[in-house]
Amino acid sequence: DHQASQYIHRKGYFSMVLQALVDHKGRFTNINVGWPGKVHDAHVFRNSGLFRRLQEGIYFPDQKITVGDVEMPIVILGDPAYSLMPWLMKPYTGALDSDKELFNYRLSKCRMVVVCAFGRLKGRWRSLLTHSDLSETNIPIVIAACCVLHNLYESKGETFMAG
């Protein structure tokens, strides 16, 4: 089945995309789950409700944030796979001067919140997220439930110890 082959990861196992927007406290504020693992991240994002709402300017209701005494638009952070948008910051690519390298370094430090949130999610629910006898239709439901439970742990300030 051609459709089923789209779920087979390059390493040979079944995979499904979980694309998430993570806030500054490591909580998932928007998730998109269920796309086959072989589908490119940028394609998943461009076909999401989140993308449409960001494009229409309705995802962040007040659209501005004040940092110090500077009013700035609210943006999301992405990796190089995504297209640059007025509401999406991504790293510079190609030949970089020192200013661009510094920008990329600082952006990368900010994105660590996202990397760590995914790490804690996978660590907390390793048995559910790594090996599953669930059907293809139930896997997204379980992943979404894991994200909700992750947010509860995060909002209670529970520290996660990998082990």
Side-chain angles (χ1 to χ4, degrees):
D1 177 42
H2 180 68
Q3 180 73 11
S5 70
Q6 292 297 301
Y7 285 93
I8 304 304
H9 187 270
R10 61 184 164 76
K11 294 180 181 172
Y13 55 82
F14 179 93
S15 68
M16 188 174 278
V17 175
L18 166 61
Q19 193 163 71
L21 189 60
V22 177
D23 72 8
H24 64 289
K25 294 183 177 179
R27 296 173 302 199
F28 296 101
T29 60
N30 184 285
I31 64 168
N32 185 348
V33 64
W35 284 79
K38 280 191 176 176
V39 178
H40 193 275
D41 289 347
H43 181 78
V44 172
F45 182 52
R46 195 166 276 280
N47 288 280
S48 69
L50 173 62
F51 182 88
R52 283 188 297 279
R53 290 192 300 279
L54 287 162
Q55 276 290 79
E56 292 166 11
I58 58 174
Y59 190 78
F60 298 113
D62 39 10
Q63 292 295 313
K64 299 277 184 209
I65 188 169
T66 303
V67 178
D69 57 353
V70 178
E71 191 176 75
M72 301 177 54
I74 296 172
V75 296
I76 63 174
L77 310 180
D79 67 27
Y82 298 98
S83 298
L84 185 64
M85 296 290 191
W87 39 261
L88 188 145
M89 267 192 211
K90 63 179 252 177
Y92 287 101
T93 55
L96 305 178
D97 60 24
S98 58
D99 287 344
K100 289 178 180 173
E101 281 186 15
L102 181 59
F103 173 87
N104 283 1
Y105 171 75
R106 289 179 174 160
L107 185 68
S108 175
K109 282 186 71 169
C110 292
R111 289 185 55 241
M112 283 307 296
V113 173
V114 177
V115 172
C116 292
F118 272 96
R120 289 191 303 277
L121 174 76
K122 288 190 269 187
R124 282 186 175 118
W125 313 112
R126 186 162 306 285
S127 63
L128 291 172
L129 299 174
T130 55
H131 175 73
S132 177
D133 296 324
L134 295 167
S135 71
E136 195 178 298
T137 52
N138 286 337
I139 290 172
I141 296 165
V142 171
I143 293 172
C146 290
C147 291
V148 170
L149 292 171
H150 165 90
N151 283 356
L152 288 171
Y153 278 114
E154 295 291 309
S155 65
K156 297 286 183 204
E158 185 207 87
T159 55
F160 174 73
M161 304 299 276

